[in-house]
Amino acid sequence: MDTDTPYVWLEKAAEREPDAPALILADRVVSYSDLEYQVRARTRSLAHVVSPGSIVPAPMRLDLPSIVEMVAVMRSGAVVLPYADRRPEVNGVLRPGTAVCVATSGSGGVSKLVPLSYANIAASVRASRSRLGTGATDRWLATLPLTHVGGLSVIWRSLASGGAAVVAPFDDAIVDIVERTRPTVASLVPTMVHRLLDRSPESLAAIDLILIGGTHLPRRLIARARERGIGLVPTYGMTETASQIATAAPGVDAGIGDVVGSPLDGFSVIIRGDAGPVGPDQVGVIEVEGPAVFHGYLGEPARTGPFRTSDLGFMTEDGRLAVVGRVDDVVVSGGENVSLAAVRDAIAEIEGVADAAAVGVDDPEWGTIVCALVEVSGILAADDLRESVASLLPEHARPKRWIIGTVPILENGKPDTSAIRRMFADE
């Protein structure tokens, strides 16, 4: 039996502190002994229907049955494949020691399955706990979906530390749950922070440590949080690395510009330009190595060497990572390169803008035109936006089409760029 796995972490925690809370739900508190009992019972029933090493698709919600199912499938020797609404088709051979298959976010329209091993998960959990200093007295706010690595990793870290996970979907009841349960640590995406700041900044301020990642962190959001005495800890990670790659140490102000923080223990980050690795402050493609990095997508050949991400960034002189955009965020409009990330950042700095997204849309005259979807917090017309952007961006980078509305997000909180492109196509 593997000794560094979520089900062994649960078993050991139940032996040490059987009455300690493992999960705090809206209507009940589940102790470690109770959770261990339910997982063992479900494992016994699974023995008749799953075989070791097989992939078991499992619908996942932020609730007790889903967490029990996830751990029980692992304990049975099978590989859990979390999904939300549509049962995925699975093809491919798994490596021994695989624990889970997780779908990438698909924010650009394409999603792949990432097999993560128990070794990947354990390395990620150790590195995260070493950087953040979390332990058995902490309560993690688990509000990210369990169909993605951001949500799964919160449960894994909590089980490993013997702490409690406050399991709460991000809905209208979230403020009441946070105020009642008093979580000490939270993993959120910028949209969640923005909406909580609007509704109840006091509930955010009561959380000791707020990890924020998943997508770009607007400077205005950082400033709003600081005005309320809320310290956000920027983090950068992805499914292929079992979650975090680089994170600011608590109390260290790394949220300046695009700087995230230094790589976690065990991770090596390389910035690669067209001619090879580049030096500090030079932008290139982010590559990463380490024991938490996966071995290759399901159904594709095994990967070797550093994993080449789709993100652009640079390393500072003091060894911190800055993430400045994505490789596919650059479009060519009228023969000029345009960074969609730069367009989005400029719009986000305009007074009255709550959120923004920029996409490239095919155009017969320009090849591609930049289009902007803007979510406003007051009365702000498209003409006002055009006037403000004129002083912030060169002419070739200014959006040619605008929609004022709500930025659609995926289940994991990232902007749904495919849906945004469809909005402009439908318009």
Side-chain angles (χ1 to χ4, degrees):
M1 182 175 69
D2 293 304
T3 59
D4 215 1
T5 67
Y7 55 87
V8 172
W9 297 333
L10 169 60
E11 180 182 334
K12 290 181 177 178
E15 291 174 355
R16 290 193 311 267
E17 297 286 345
D19 297 328
L23 304 175
I24 301 174
L25 307 166
D27 58 348
R28 64 182 292 193
V29 175
V30 180
S31 69
Y32 269 98
S33 59
D34 187 8
L35 182 59
E36 168 71 356
Y37 175 81
Q38 293 191 50
V39 167
R40 285 191 176 275
R42 180 56 179 155
T43 304
R44 287 193 293 271
S45 64
L46 285 172
H48 304 291
V49 293
V50 304
S51 57
S54 63
I55 297 178
V56 179
M60 285 283 152
R61 306 288 184 268
L62 275 166
D63 57 22
L64 175 60
S66 295
I67 294 171
V68 169
E69 186 76 2
M70 183 261 290
V71 182
V73 170
M74 289 179 170
R75 190 191 288 271
S76 72
V79 178
V80 64
L81 170 54
Y83 69 93
D85 301 312
R86 182 179 300 175
R87 184 184 176 97
E89 296 294 328
V90 182
N91 292 295
V93 178
L94 294 171
R95 296 168 62 96
T98 302
V100 60
C101 281
V102 187
T104 58
S105 66
S107 55
V110 178
S111 180
K112 295 183 177 183
L113 289 178
V114 176
L116 295 173
S117 68
Y118 287 112
N120 293 149
I121 294 171
S124 176
V125 168
R126 285 193 299 270
S128 176
R129 293 186 61 197
S130 175
R131 176 59 51 87
L132 301 177
T134 52
T137 59
D138 282 302
R139 293 183 172 191
W140 274 91
L141 178 60
T143 196
L144 296 174
L146 298 181
T147 50
H148 296 283
V149 75
L152 291 169
S153 62
V154 169
I155 303 299
W156 297 335
R157 294 171 201 154
S158 187
L159 291 175
S161 68
V166 178
V167 181
F170 195 85
D171 55 23
D172 291 340
I174 188 66
V175 170
D176 293 336
I177 291 173
V178 169
E179 291 177 347
R180 177 169 54 83
T181 61
R182 297 293 182 183
T184 60
V185 190
S187 291
L188 304 175
V189 296
T191 300
M192 292 176 173
V193 172
H194 167 74
R195 292 176 182 174
L196 283 173
L197 278 171
D198 284 345
R199 291 180 55 192
S200 177
E202 297 81 8
S203 63
L204 271 180
I207 301 174
D208 297 333
L209 180 62
I210 301 174
L211 287 176
I212 182 164
T215 187
H216 173 71
L217 179 57
R219 293 176 178 87
R220 287 180 59 83
L221 186 61
I222 298 173
R224 286 188 64 199
R226 284 175 178 162
E227 289 172 359
R228 296 285 188 168
I230 300 165
L232 304 178
V233 178
T235 185
Y236 167 70
M238 59 190 61
T239 308
E240 291 88 344
T241 62
S243 189
Q244 292 167 276
I245 296 170
T247 302
V252 176
D253 188 4
I256 301 172
D258 300 302
V259 176
V260 179
S262 58
L264 272 61
D265 292 346
F267 282 96
S268 173
V269 173
I270 302 162
I271 307 298
R272 190 173 297 278
D274 293 338
V278 298
D281 298 327
Q282 293 183 284
V283 173
V285 179
I286 299 172
E287 296 184 347
V288 60
E289 287 185 290
V293 182
F294 81 135
H295 292 287
Y297 297 105
L298 187 66
E300 296 186 7
R303 183 192 63 75
T304 59
F307 172 60
R308 184 180 179 89
T309 74
S310 297
D311 297 315
L312 297 170
F314 63 89
M315 297 297 293
T316 64
E317 289 282 358
D318 60 358
R320 293 181 298 166
L321 175 65
V323 184
V324 300
R326 291 180 59 84
V327 173
D328 54 8
D329 265 353
V330 177
V331 299
V332 180
S333 182
E336 297 276 2
N337 288 340
V338 179
S339 167
L340 296 176
V343 174
R344 175 202 60 208
D345 292 352
I347 297 171
E349 296 304 311
I350 298 172
E351 187 71 32
V353 171
D355 200 1
V359 296
V361 175
D362 291 342
D363 181 80
E365 179 182 357
W366 296 90
T368 301
I369 59 171
V370 177
C371 301
L373 172 62
V374 183
E375 189 172 326
V376 301
S377 56
I379 299 175
L380 191 63
D383 287 343
D384 298 327
L385 288 168
R386 290 189 185 95
E387 183 177 339
S388 298
V389 162
S391 64
L392 300 173
L393 292 170
E395 185 173 359
H396 69 269
R398 297 169 196 166
K400 291 181 170 54
R401 294 172 62 192
W402 299 78
I403 292 177
I404 294 180
T406 301
V407 176
I409 60 173
L410 297 167
E411 185 188 34
N412 61 357
K414 295 183 179 181
D416 188 341
T417 53
S418 294
I420 295 169
R421 290 190 188 97
R422 287 196 297 272
M423 291 173 69
F424 284 98
D426 293 341
E427 187 198 38

